[in-house]
C-alpha cells in the first residue's frame, strides 16, 4: 500500500521495509521536533497575515471567495517553504493556486491504478508527459505544474538553488543520482537539512532522493491540513452564530488579555490551552480523517493476540460467554481505517459524525476528565495515526491549525457561507485522503463588513 500508492517513491512515506523506513524517518525527526517548530512559528504567522490580506480584498469588493482554494494555498505556501526552502506563493496568485490544486488532484487519481501493481508504476513513469492529461482527464493546461508532482526529481530553479546551491558541472538538473552540489546553504528547509545529515549514508543524500522526500511533504501536508480548516469553518458557520461562533469569539476575546496588544495574533501555545477552541479543533480533526483508507501494519517477529471483547466493555458475565481470542501469526498484514476509531459510536456517542465540541467539555455535559468514557474517547482520538508510521508533521500541523483557527474569525468576524452544503464538504471517495464528490464546488464564502 505505501510503496505503490506513492509510485515506489524513495521518500520515507513510500518506504515499505521497516528498517529502511526507520533510517529515513529518524533522520528527519529533529527537523520536525517541537523545539524546531517553535522557531518556525513566525513563518506560519506571516503566511496567515498574507491569507487575511488576500481575503480582505474580497471583503472590500464583496466578491465570493473560493475558500477551499484559499485554505489550500495557505497550507501549500507553508509546507513548500518548510520543505523546499521557497514558498510556492499561491496566496499571491490571482486564482490562489486553484489550477495547481486541480492538477494535484488529477495526478493523485492515478493512485487507484498504481496501487494495483508495480508494473503499472513502471509503465506510468515511462509514459511521455503529453499522455498524462488523457489518463487523468485533467485539463491540458495544468500539466506544466503537475510534472512537479508526478516526477518530483524536477524542481523549480529557485527551489534547487535554495536547497543545494548551484550545481557544479554541466548538467543543471537534479536527476543525476550522483550529482554533487556546491555552496551548502543554511538548514532552513528540509531539503538542505537532509543534504548534510550525518545520520544518512551518502546514497540516501542524493539530490534525487532528497527532493523526493521534500515533495512527499507537499503531498502529505496540504490536503490533510486544508480539509480540517474547511470542516472547521463550515461547521462553525453553518449554524446560527449563537451556537458556535459567539462562544468561540467570546473565549478568543478573553484570550486577548495575554497578548502584547489586542490586535496581535494568538500564538499556538496560548491557543491550544483554550478549552472551547481546542474542543472545536478536535471535532474538525475527528470528522475528516487525514487518511481515509486502511492503514496496514505487520509485526514480523511476534504473534498478535486479539480478544474480541473485554470485561470493561461487556461486563464479566458476557465476557465469559462470548470472549474469543484470535491469534494472528507473525508477518500477518493487519489493517484498519482511522475513521473506525474517529467515528466510533461507543466512544463518541450516538452522533459520532456530528460536530459537537461539548462532548470534550465536562462543564457542558461532556465526559469528565479521568472517567472511563473520556479515556475511551482519548484512545479513539487518533487523527495522526499511531506507531512507527504515524504523522511526522504533527507539530507543524498543530501550529498551523491553532494559529488559523484561533485567529480567522477574530480577523474576519463577517465571514459567512455562500451556497455551500454538506455535500460540498463530506468525504465521498478515497484518494489516500478523503475527497468530496466530483460535482463539489468546495467551500465558498462571502465576507461582510462588521
Ligand atoms: C492536521 C493535519 C494532518 C493530519 C490529520 C495528518 C495525518 C496523517 C496520518 C493519519 C498519517 C499516518 C498514516 C499511517 O499511519 O501510515 C500521516 C503520515 C504522515 N504525515 Fe501527516 N497529517 C497532517 C499534516 C501533515 C503535515 C503538515 C505534514 C508535513 C509536514 C505531514 C507529513 C506526513 C508524513 C511525511 C507522513 C508519513 C510518515 C511516515 O511514513 O513515517 N502531515 N499523516
Amino acid at each position: 500500500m505505501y510503496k505503490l500508492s506513492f509510485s515506489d517513491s524513495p521518500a520515507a512515506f513510500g518506504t515499505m521495509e521497516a528498517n529502511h523506513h526507520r533510517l529515513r524517518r529518524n533522520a528527519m525527526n529533529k527537523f520536525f521536533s517541537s523545539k524546531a517548530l517553535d522557531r518556525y512559528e513566525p513563518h506560519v504567522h506571516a503566511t496567515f497575515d498574507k491569507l487575511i490580506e488576500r481575503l480582505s480584498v474580497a471583503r472590500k469588493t464583496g466578491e465570493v471567495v473560493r475558500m477551499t482554494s484559499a485554505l489550500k494555498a495557505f497550507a501549500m505556501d507553508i509546507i513548500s517553504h518548510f520543505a523546499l526552502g521557497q514558498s510556492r506563493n499561491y496566496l499571491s496568485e490571482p486564482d490562489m493556486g486553484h489550477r495547481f490544486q486541480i492538477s494535484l488532484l488529477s495526478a493523485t487519481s492515478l493512485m487507484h491504478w498504481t496501487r494495483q501493481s508495480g508494473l503499472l508504476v513502471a509503465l506510468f513513469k515511462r509514459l511521455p508527459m503529453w499522455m498524462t492529461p488523457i489518463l487523468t482527464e485533467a485539463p491540458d493546461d495544468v500539466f506544466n505544474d503537475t510534472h512537479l508532482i508526478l516526477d518530483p526529481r524536477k524542481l523549480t530553479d529557485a527551489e534547487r538553488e535554495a536547497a543545494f546551491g548551484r550545481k557544479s558541472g554541466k548538467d543543471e538538473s537534479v536527476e543525476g543520482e550522483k550529482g554533487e552540489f556546491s555552496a551548502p546553504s543554511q538548514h532552513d528547509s528540509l531539503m538542505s537539512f537532509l543534504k548534510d545529515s550525518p545520520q544518512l549514508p551518502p546514497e540516501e543524500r542524493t539530490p534525487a532522493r532528497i527532493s523526493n522526500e521534500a515533495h512527499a511533504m507537499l503531498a502529505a501536508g496540504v490536503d490533510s491540513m486544508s480539509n480540517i480548516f474547511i470542516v472547521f469553518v463550515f461547521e462553525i458557520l453553518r449554524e446560527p452564530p449563537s451556537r458556535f461562533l459567539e462562544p468561540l469569539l467570546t473565549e478568543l476575546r478573553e484570550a486577548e488579555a495575554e497578548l502584547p496588544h489586542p490586535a496581535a495574533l494568538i500564538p499556538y501555545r496560548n491557543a491550544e490551552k483554550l478549552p472551547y477552541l481546542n474542543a472545536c479543533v478536535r471535532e474538525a480533526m475527528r470528522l475528516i480523517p487525514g487518511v481515509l483508507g486502511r492503514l496496514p501494519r505487520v509485526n514480523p517477529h511476534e504473534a498478535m493476540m486479539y480478544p474480541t471483547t473485554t470485561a470493561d466493555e461487556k461486563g464479566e458475565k458476557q465476557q465469559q460467554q462470548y470472549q474469543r481470542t484470535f491469534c494472528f501469526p507473525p508477518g500477518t498484514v493487519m489493517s484498519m481505517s482511522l475513521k473506525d476509531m474517529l467515528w466510533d459510536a461507543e466512544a463518541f456517542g450516538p452522533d459520532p459524525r456530528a460536530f459537537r465540541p461539548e462532548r470534550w467539555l465536562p462543564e457542558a455535559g461532556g465526559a469528565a476528565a479521568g472517567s472511563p468514557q473520556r479515556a475511551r474517547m482519548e484512545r479513539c482520538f487518533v487523527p495522526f495515526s499511531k506507531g512507527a508510521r504515524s504523522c511526522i508533521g504533527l507539530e507543524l500541523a498543530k501550529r498551523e491549525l491553532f494559529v488559523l483557527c484561533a485567529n480567522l474569525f477574530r480577523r474576519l468576524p463577517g465571514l459567512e457561507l455562500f451556497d455551500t452544503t454538506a455535500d460540498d464538504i463530506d468525504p465521498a471517495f478515497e484518494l489516500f485522503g478523503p475527497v468530496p464528490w466530483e460535482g463539489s464546488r468546495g467551500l465558498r464564502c462571502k465576507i461582510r463588513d462588521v
Side-chain angles (χ1 to χ4, degrees), residues 1-2 12-14 21 25 28 32 79 82 213 216-217 220-222 224-225 228 285 288-291 295 297 338 382-386 388-394 396-398 400-401 432:
M1 196 283 277
Y2 291 105
F13 214 162
H21 172 264
R25 181 174 166 123
M28 297 192 283
F32 282 93
I79 191 64
F82 182 80
E213 196 66 89
M217 298 301 157
V222 176
S224 54
M225 295 296 329
I228 298 173
M285 294 179 87
I288 190 109
V291 183
L295 295 168
R297 296 290 189 270
L338 294 178
V382 287
F384 295 107
S385 186
K386 286 278 181 187
R389 303 198 72 116
S390 65
C391 182
I392 196 172
L394 169 143
L396 176 60
K398 286 197 293 192
E400 286 187 43
L401 267 174
F432 210 75

Side-chain angles (χ1 to χ4, degrees), residues 264-403:
L265 292 183
I266 300 180
Y268 163 62
R269 296 279 175 203
N270 297 27
E272 65 162 353
K273 291 192 202 113
L274 302 175
Y276 195 74
L277 173 70
N278 202 297
C280 291
V281 171
R282 278 181 165 229
E283 282 297 270
M285 294 179 87
R286 211 175 54 70
L287 292 185
I288 190 109
V291 183
L292 199 58
R294 290 169 170 270
L295 295 168
R297 296 290 189 270
V298 184
N299 187 336
H301 306 297
E302 286 166 30
M304 300 268 289
M305 308 304 280
Y306 182 78
T308 51
T309 186
T310 68
D312 277 348
E313 279 161 9
K314 295 277 181 187
E316 218 171 314
K317 208 169 164 197
Q318 281 179 319
Q319 187 197 17
Q320 281 166 9
Q321 198 177 347
Y322 295 117
Q323 189 175 12
R324 294 175 63 193
T325 298
F326 293 92
C327 169
F328 296 94
T332 309
V333 181
M334 303 186 49
S335 61
M336 72 179 289
S337 167
L338 294 178
K339 69 181 167 54
D340 296 335
M341 313 267 295
L342 296 171
W343 302 346
D344 181 80
E346 281 191 23
F348 297 106
D351 57 352
R353 295 200 60 189
F355 182 87
R356 198 161 59 74
E358 294 78 16
R359 66 177 101 238
W360 298 99
L361 301 167
E363 63 281 12
S371 65
Q373 185 62 25
R374 179 67 186 220
R376 189 176 298 177
M377 288 167 72
E378 296 290 352
R379 204 175 63 225
C380 285
F381 185 67
V382 287
F384 295 107
S385 186
K386 286 278 181 187
R389 303 198 72 116
S390 65
C391 182
I392 196 172
L394 169 143
E395 290 296 335
L396 176 60
K398 286 197 293 192
R399 279 152 188 83
E400 286 187 43
L401 267 174
F402 277 99
V403 168

Side-chain angles (χ1 to χ4, degrees), residues 2 104 188 190 210 238 272 326 380:
Y2 291 105
L104 182 54
D188 51 6
L190 180 66
I210 287 172
R238 78 195 292 204
E272 65 162 353
F326 293 92
C380 285

Side-chain angles (χ1 to χ4, degrees), residues 27 34 174 187 199 238 247 250 297 299 328 375:
S34 182
V174 291
H187 295 155
Q199 279 175 273
R238 78 195 292 204
T250 306
R297 296 290 189 270
N299 187 336
F328 296 94

